[in-house]
Amino acid sequence: MALTLTSSAFVNGAVLPQAQVYSGMGETGGNLSPPLTWKDAPEGTRSFVVTAYDPDAPTGSGWWHWVVINIPPTVTSLPEGAGSGKGGLPESAVQLRTDFGTPGYGGAAPPPGRVHRYTFTVTALDVPKLDLPADATPAMVGFMLNHHRLASAQITALYGHAR
């Protein structure tokens, strides 16, 4: 069995619900992190990391919408809004700075034009925690993930609007 990730808010390849769209910058969404559930973590999993990333952002390097580290291995889901201050994050979990400049979930907010992909990933790690400063960049998290990854699973939602 392989690690899998699902959401009760959308299926892989579907349109991201308005609840998960940014509130601001011309968007009128709920800015709530989606509910996520994962299962079949590999043996030896000592913690999880959850991220949300838009590879289509017109930056040359994509856009990080959410980074949560140090989720205990006994946790297999996050409720809607957990990354938006609505509760449900494990006590040991740490939300790091996103490309919005602050920690916490930042919903979809693409410029008008083409549809963007929003990839949610859960990564099982072989360490109990990533010892990173609160201002660690998503690139630093990615470096640590690649060094400690046991397995990862993704789901992707789509979102865009006309010019």
Side-chain angles (χ1 to χ4, degrees), residues 40-94:
D40 298 325
E43 189 172 323
T45 297
R46 298 184 65 200
S47 67
F48 293 103
V49 171
V50 169
T51 61
Y53 176 71
D54 171 5
D56 303 314
T59 63
S61 61
W63 190 272
W64 290 96
H65 286 260
W66 195 23
V67 180
V68 186
I69 65 171
N70 303 342
I71 300 170
T74 55
V75 173
T76 57
S77 67
L78 295 176
E80 182 175 68
S84 310
K86 303 294 184 192
L89 276 182
E91 189 174 310
S92 63
V94 177

Side-chain angles (χ1 to χ4, degrees), residues 96-104:
L96 295 178
R97 181 171 55 115
T98 67
D99 286 335
F100 287 104
T102 57

Side-chain angles (χ1 to χ4, degrees), residues 87-122:
L89 276 182
E91 189 174 310
S92 63
V94 177
Q95 296 188 93
L96 295 178
R97 181 171 55 115
T98 67
D99 286 335
F100 287 104
T102 57
Y105 177 80
R114 70 184 189 143
V115 171
H116 285 224
R117 296 167 290 162
Y118 294 87
T119 302
F120 295 84
T121 304
V122 63

Side-chain angles (χ1 to χ4, degrees), residues 18-31 65 100 105-109:
Q18 204 63 28
Q20 278 70 58
V21 172
Y22 194 72
S23 179
M25 296 173 28
E27 301 290 346
T28 58
N31 206 44
H65 286 260
F100 287 104
Y105 177 80

Side-chain angles (χ1 to χ4, degrees), residues 128-156:
K129 68 181 248 180
L130 295 178
D131 192 17
L132 294 169
D135 65 347
T137 64
M140 175 59 87
V141 174
F143 175 84
M144 298 301 286
L145 288 181
N146 286 325
H147 187 66
H148 293 288
R149 177 190 328 263
L150 293 172
S152 61
Q154 299 179 330
I155 55 172
T156 299

